[in-house]
Amino acid sequence: MTAMTMAQALNTALRDALREDERVLVFGEDVGPLGGVFRITDGLTTEFGENRCFDTPLAEAGIVGLAVGMAMGGFRPVVEMQFDAFAYPAFEQIASHVAKMRNRTRGRLSLPMVIRIPYAGGIGGVEHHCDSSEAYYVHTPGLKVVTPATPDDAYWLLRDAITDPDPVIFMEPKRLYWSKDETAPGDRRAAGFGRAAVRREGLDATLVTYGPGVPVALQAAEAAAGDGIDLEVVDLRTLVPFDDETVVSSVRKTGRCVVVQEAQGFAGVGAEIAARVQERCFHSLAAPVLRVTGFDIPYPPPKLERSHLPDADRILDAVDRLQFDDAPDVLHLAREAS
Amino acid sequence: MSVRTDRQVVDGLLPSPVPVRFVAEDGTAVEPPTGYPAPGDGQLLEAYRRMVLGRRFDRQATALTKQGRLAVYPSSRGQEACQIAGVLALREDDWLFPTYRDSVALVSRGIDPVEVLTLLRGDWHCGYDPAATRVAPQCTPLATQTIHAVGLAEALRRKGEDGVVMAFIGDGGTSEGDFHEALNYAAVLHAPVVFFVQNNKYAISVPLARQTAAPALAYKGIGYGIRSEQVDGNDLVATLSVLTTAVEHARAGEGPFLVEAHTYRMDAHTNADDATRYREPEEVERWESADPLARLETHLRDRGLLDAEGIASAHEAAEEFASRLRDAMNAEPETDPYELFDHVFADPTPQLREQRALLASELTAPED
């Protein structure tokens, strides 16, 4: 099987979903003949017709509101917000209606729909094109929030999101669109919806991350291995539902934890993870739970984004502060002795 | 290349310069408007009975706020012609997207009044089954429901059903962006949806003059290519005629329709509001003389369609309805704290299960 980029995997997932379920519809801005600005919907209008994949007027609240009505009417809309910050006009629709319809109506109306949002930076985008907006959605009860880090996950998480009975905010790390897996998504090997994945096993400390943070964390782990520090990397995959179990079992094993997110840090997803880890793993921890995040600034201009984005060095600096000298890790020492 | 707008196309979309009217304020018939058929006598009598009942319901709901049985109630007194005409223009399998002020319409649609008042009583949000009644949850955010209505209309069209969707909205709501996105989407998609603007002249305290500089709200349709009309919203005959025409226009596949009904909110925004702070009593008195129920009653009596007996029987039915509602609302609502976790997702997340267990420990803890 040939290699596939995340963009191709997402395109394939949409194609397969459109083929398998006639209730699935794809719409948004420029998703028709153009195939979307990132080409995620490339060829779908040609293959399935304008009735199944179509361009809408340029109004994001309208796109999401239309999807609400169509989901009430029995369809399964998969809509595209062109960029993270361009989804903000739709926020009222998302927070007041998409997230709450099931609850408002005591479960009599559900909204099986997916809102795809290319998010985060690292591609030299200008302002309003690189926001890490996941915390807004994660903080809104009633939304499932998903972010893949590999093409295989992108395929299966999107397929799962489309069949899910609840609305899903599907956040696509745009700088990973062109990342490749060695094989195309084939037989299902991805973890189930709501489960995190251990991307790299390690014994000395756990890096908990998601989306665009995953490759950076893996890079840091490779570098740390050269220094004799064995890092485990947990990819959350779904931020809601949150997989406490996988995170907790990893940190209880390693005794140390660094949370890595590209988003600005204050009151972000990483803050929630750090709190949950210390609440559940306090007696296993040999050092404070640290966070490595972007700075608390509006997303910088392209020439300055490298200063903002957490990189492997920033992660390794945090790992250095995990008090290995103050409180030697027993497992680590045992392994060095052997 | 020259650009020229077809005048005929524009004229075909524009509303009548004065609101469509069949019956004057004193109940006498005026020269009937062209293009709008008069509703049948039986339908007018049915409308009358529903308006009497609707007004009685409204008064009862306001009384229930004073007794502490409802947290709040936004009255639609004075808007009964709109409330009832909107419902009568629809078939049972059509959909209605109401606002919080449209409880009378929901009752007229046949929804259990206790379920209508669940939101305002506070035992849950939406008390009725939207799928079974084909009535969306009453919407408190302004104008957001109009775009849902377009989506549902588009869904019906795609499924080959000939159902129509009617979205209710107020004058204030027409300033919201979602209203404009909804008009535009409806027109572009050619969706079978009717936008029904009840212009009751106030958005809480803000008068229409501060809301818009448009000659009439009905003119907001033209920019989107939507056929529009304005009607005397206190004339049931005219409102029912225009709305029926609008619904049939949408049902026939001719696209969306915008109707503005000129009416007046006789009561304050809600029982918690004080309307004397922003409008003169003389203004309210002037509108009393345009009362939609009295107007229809006079009109039907003058035409020999209604007599004292018919009037008495309508009021009797309304009293019975109010009495049953009072009894039902005097019973303590049954609420279940654990239900708080039941409808967030189809299946509660592990975290919600934990929080449910926490609540259980609080609820079952012995009293100190």
Side-chain angles (χ1 to χ4, degrees):
Chain A
M1 218 178 266
T2 52
M4 194 178 260
T5 64
M6 183 183 285
Q8 289 167 329
L10 291 166
N11 180 268
T12 307
L14 290 172
R15 199 177 292 271
D16 291 350
L18 282 162
R19 192 176 293 126
E20 285 177 23
D21 186 348
E22 61 180 17
R23 297 171 301 172
V24 174
L25 302 171
V26 174
F27 53 92
E29 294 156 4
D30 301 299
V31 301
L34 179 70
V37 293
F38 291 106
R39 304 292 181 267
I40 306 303
T41 58
D42 189 31
L44 299 183
T45 298
T46 309
E47 182 171 346
F48 298 97
E50 281 183 7
N51 213 31
R52 305 285 309 282
C53 176
F54 56 94
D55 289 325
T56 63
L58 211 163
E60 292 78 11
I63 294 170
V64 173
L66 189 78
V68 169
M70 297 197 76
M72 284 172 70
F75 288 89
R76 288 181 171 257
V78 183
V79 302
E80 177 173 302
M81 300 283 102
Q82 201 156 65
F83 285 91
D84 32 62
F86 296 168
Y88 299 150
F91 193 74
E92 186 191 13
Q93 285 289 344
I94 295 173
S96 295
H97 296 292
V98 174
K100 292 180 180 157
M101 191 65 84
R102 177 186 291 283
N103 192 63
R104 290 169 74 207
T105 62
R106 283 188 149 141
R108 287 155 169 161
L109 285 185
S110 58
L111 297 177
M113 56 186 277
V114 179
I115 302 173
R116 294 181 36 246
I117 307 176
Y119 83 113
I123 61 161
V126 296
E127 61 172 349
H128 308 303
H129 289 70
C130 298
D131 282 12
S132 288
S133 48
E134 66 271 25
Y136 307 133
Y137 305 110
V138 167
H139 196 61
T140 305
L143 300 175
K144 291 180 177 170
V145 184
V146 176
T147 179
T150 70
D152 189 57
D153 260 6
Y155 178 87
W156 287 109
L157 284 172
L158 185 52
R159 293 302 306 275
D160 287 347
I162 293 170
T163 54
D164 199 88
D166 290 306
V168 178
I169 308 292
F170 194 90
M171 309 208 61
E172 300 167 5
K174 58 178 91 78
R175 69 161 122 151
L176 300 185
Y177 273 148
W178 304 280
S179 67
K180 284 191 180 183
D181 270 352
E182 283 163 18
T183 57
D187 293 338
R188 183 168 191 132
R189 54 185 185 280
F193 204 77
R195 298 309 305 235
V198 176
R199 295 288 172 208
R200 183 187 194 282
E201 291 193 11
L203 293 168
D204 296 336
T206 302
L207 304 180
V208 181
T209 188
Y210 57 90
V214 173
V216 185
L218 287 169
Q219 196 189 341
E222 289 309 311
D227 294 339
I229 297 177
D230 189 19
L231 297 177
E232 180 144 305
V233 176
V234 175
D235 171 6
L236 292 170
R237 302 172 74 250
T238 65
L239 302 179
V240 180
F242 186 84
D243 184 358
D244 277 309
E245 199 183 322
T246 299
V247 172
V248 165
S249 86
S250 173
V251 177
R252 283 190 183 152
K253 178 181 76 174
T254 62
R256 289 176 168 84
C257 178
V258 177
V259 184
V260 179
Q261 69 177 37
E262 179 178 317
Q264 59 277 20
F266 190 80
V269 171
E272 175 65 23
I273 300 167
R276 301 185 81 80
V277 168
Q278 70 85 16
E279 283 169 357
R280 288 162 177 75
C281 307
F282 185 73
H283 294 291
S284 309
L285 286 170
V289 179
L290 299 180
R291 280 177 290 163
V292 172
T293 72
F295 300 125
D296 294 321
I297 55 172
Y299 197 84
K303 292 282 194 289
L304 290 168
E305 72 177 348
R306 285 171 63 86
S307 300
H308 169 70
L309 293 170
D311 60 6
D313 285 341
R314 197 179 294 168
I315 296 170
L316 292 170
D317 285 346
V319 171
D320 280 348
R321 289 187 283 123
L322 288 175
Q323 305 180 5
F324 285 107
D325 297 332
D326 300 352
D329 179 61
V330 192
L331 284 168
H332 188 62
L333 291 175
R335 192 155 36 82
E336 277 191 343
S338 62
Chain B
M1 198 169 80
S2 70
V3 176
R4 190 165 183 281
T5 305
D6 188 335
R7 187 67 222 181
Q8 271 189 322
V9 171
V10 174
D11 289 347
L13 299 173
L14 283 173
S16 150
V18 291
V20 173
R21 183 183 258 193
F22 278 75
V23 180
E25 286 182 9
D26 64 3
T28 56
V30 299
E31 181 72 23
T34 52
Y36 295 103
D41 295 344
Q43 210 181 12
L44 293 182
L45 278 172
E46 175 65 19
Y48 172 76
R49 287 190 287 267
R50 288 178 184 227
M51 282 171 71
V52 169
L53 190 138
R55 177 162 295 182
R56 185 65 189 88
F57 165 82
D58 196 80
R59 196 151 58 84
Q60 186 61 56
T62 298
L64 286 165
T65 63
K66 298 193 171 101
Q67 295 153 15
R69 289 294 178 187
L70 288 180
V72 67
Y73 180 72
S75 167
S76 62
R77 189 166 70 86
Q79 299 176 220
E80 292 88 353
C82 296
Q83 296 282 302
I84 302 306
V87 170
L88 286 179
L90 295 174
R91 289 194 324 219
E92 251 184 40
D93 60 337
D94 292 333
W95 274 79
L96 192 158
F97 279 69
T99 76
Y100 54 82
R101 199 178 298 288
D102 300 313
S103 297
V104 168
L106 272 55
V107 167
S108 193
R109 176 92 173 174
I111 301 177
D112 180 339
V114 175
E115 293 183 359
V116 171
L117 293 173
T118 296
L119 170 76
L120 306 170
R121 190 192 211 185
D123 33 318
W124 200 263
H125 308 296
C126 179
Y128 50 89
D129 183 344
T133 58
R134 297 207 159 199
V135 176
Q138 282 182 285
C139 200
T140 46
L142 294 185
T144 49
Q145 79 282 7
T146 55
I147 184 72
H148 306 162
V150 177
L152 190 52
E154 174 65 6
L156 294 176
R157 192 183 66 77
R158 282 168 174 264
K159 290 191 289 189
E161 299 178 17
D162 70 345
V164 170
V165 180
M166 189 182 290
F168 283 25
I169 187 169
D171 44 305
T174 65
S175 297
E176 291 279 2
D178 279 18
F179 174 66
H180 295 266
E181 295 189 20
L183 290 180
N184 191 42
Y185 272 68
V188 169
L189 292 167
H190 215 63
V193 59
V194 174
F195 299 98
F196 180 35
V197 182
Q198 292 174 78
N199 174 1
N200 68 14
K201 309 296 182 284
Y202 286 91
I204 303 188
S205 68
V206 179
L208 184 68
R210 291 204 175 273
Q211 206 66 247
T212 182
L217 296 173
Y219 286 89
K220 289 181 187 271
I222 180 70
Y224 299 102
I226 291 183
R227 185 172 160 198
S228 306
E229 188 54 278
Q230 56 177 331
V231 61
D232 180 341
N234 283 15
D235 175 359
L236 178 279
V237 185
T239 309
L240 181 53
S241 171
V242 168
L243 284 177
T244 303
T245 303
V247 167
E248 292 317 313
H249 171 96
R251 199 184 311 286
E254 292 172 43
F257 204 117
L258 169 66
V259 176
E260 176 194 15
H262 296 273
T263 182
Y264 193 78
R265 193 192 77 208
M266 296 301 294
D267 284 349
H269 165 63
T270 68
N271 54 296
D273 177 35
D274 175 9
T276 64
R277 292 174 71 96
Y278 51 82
R279 65 186 189 186
E280 298 299 324
E282 294 76 29
E283 180 186 296
V284 182
E285 279 165 31
R286 278 199 305 280
W287 278 94
E288 289 280 6
S289 65
D291 181 68
L293 182 52
R295 192 192 306 193
L296 183 64
E297 191 173 296
T298 306
H299 178 69
L300 294 175
R301 287 188 78 139
D302 288 355
R303 289 182 54 204
L305 295 169
L306 187 68
D307 56 12
E309 199 183 326
I311 294 170
S313 118
H315 283 274
E316 207 174 300
E319 284 306 322
E320 269 175 38
F321 183 87
S323 163
R324 282 199 305 275
L325 176 59
R326 259 195 320 272
D327 291 347
M329 294 296 285
N330 280 333
E332 275 306 313
E334 281 181 28
T335 56
D336 173 11
Y338 297 112
E339 192 182 353
L340 293 171
F341 303 98
D342 287 351
H343 314 300
V344 184
F345 297 107
D347 295 311
T349 59
Q351 290 76 23
L352 285 174
R353 288 182 211 278
E354 284 173 17
Q355 289 165 27
R356 190 184 195 280
L358 173 66
L359 179 65
S361 73
E362 289 173 4
L363 293 176
T364 55
E367 300 274 337
D368 285 335

